[in-house]
Amino acid sequence: MLLVWRGLSLNVLRKEVNRACFREKAKQIMRPDDANVAGNVHGGTILKMIEEAGAIISTRHCNSQNGERCVAALARVERTDFLSPMCIGEVAHVSAEITYTSKHSVEVQVNVMSENILTGAKKLTNKATLWYVPLSLKNVDKVLEVPPVVYSRQEQEEEGRKRYEAQKLERMETKWRNGDIVQPVLNPEPNTVSYSQSSLIHLVGPSDCTLHGFVHGGVTMKLMDEVAGIVAARHCKTNIVTASVDAINFHDKIRKGCVITISGRMTFTSNKSMEIEVLVDADPVVDSSQKRYRAASAFFTYVSLSQEGRSLPVPQLVPETEDEKKRFEEGKGRYLQMKAKRQGHTEPQP
């Protein structure tokens, strides 16, 4: 991979510093193993690049002053939309900047542009907001304080504080779902939740982890997207692509040696989109004193595409149990809320 992170490769990472924030940039060419059979780059590949950018810039910032050394751990990814597909042979331009810091967290804004190197044409493919917390290298369960940034305008700090409080509240609201699990069903009917639900079991090895033995957030997100894609493909039996990812919450760290189970199930379908809930459970098999726990959760939205890349109608989901019907209505509420929000943004200004 042609990543140009300084300190992680021989290439030089361009870094600009101003009074408001740090900025960093990287490039990577998209190869066949980054894409699906139709040549579209996997959403999980893009999410992994986004997280790598966020981890580097936030870790650098948190170690920019003298004091106890730390590594920035991903706590949450806000909703991100896949605005335009990226294809094999295009170059991904990833740029990240710190936009807000609280006492114990860092907000990072990441943009992804795709470039056709034959024509030079560029387009915005992703915008994402990530939250990181600094963990001490001496004790990874200890959260350290974040060096403050200097804002060019007072409004920037006030707006950042509102975003911080909002995401903190939403993270607390997701914890009630932590006991929910995906159970297999024998001989399910087509278009039901059980028919397309899927699971992936993965043993966490050294290549998945930081130097301190914890899984990179980007690795987890890529696995989550892979499972969500399998669920969508089983339901539609067509080419599918990631359209958006709702907030991804990381409830607990995943250690090296754990066996993780990534489970996905469809919760809602509109005429042309599918919502898939993905749950990540970690089983510390090498430590009998610890029990299986919920590590992460998120909702992915996929769309079905024809061979020409046109949007196709989605087979309608048939919820059977009361829990499935409840999740369907909750998904419908999220869908209508985002639809109204998008329409509000596109309305002409008076």
Side-chain angles (χ1 to χ4, degrees), residues 43-62:
T45 299
I46 298 173
L47 289 171
K48 190 171 183 288
M49 289 191 297
I50 289 172
E51 197 280 327
E52 286 175 348
I56 291 171
I57 192 174
S58 53
T59 297
R60 280 183 174 160
H61 176 72
C62 292

Side-chain angles (χ1 to χ4, degrees), residues 74-88:
L74 182 62
R76 175 180 167 90
V77 181
E78 301 289 1
R79 178 185 173 91
T80 177
D81 292 304
F82 289 74
L83 307 173
S84 180
M86 193 181 300
C87 301
I88 296 172

Side-chain angles (χ1 to χ4, degrees), residues 30 65 136 278 307:
M30 297 293 99
Q65 296 182 359
S136 168
V278 182
Q307 293 182 350

Side-chain angles (χ1 to χ4, degrees), residues 103-147:
K103 185 177 181 180
H104 295 293
S105 63
V106 181
E107 181 191 51
V108 180
Q109 178 74 47
V110 181
N111 291 338
V112 182
M113 302 279 295
S114 66
E115 177 192 3
N116 184 320
I117 55 178
L118 301 179
T119 65
K122 293 183 180 180
K123 56 187 177 183
L124 180 66
T125 62
N126 294 82
K127 296 177 68 175
T129 301
L130 305 90
W131 292 89
Y132 289 83
V133 293
L135 304 180
S136 168
L137 295 184
K138 297 179 181 179
N139 177 8
V140 291
D141 293 321
K142 178 183 177 182
V143 179
L144 302 181
E145 292 190 10
V146 176

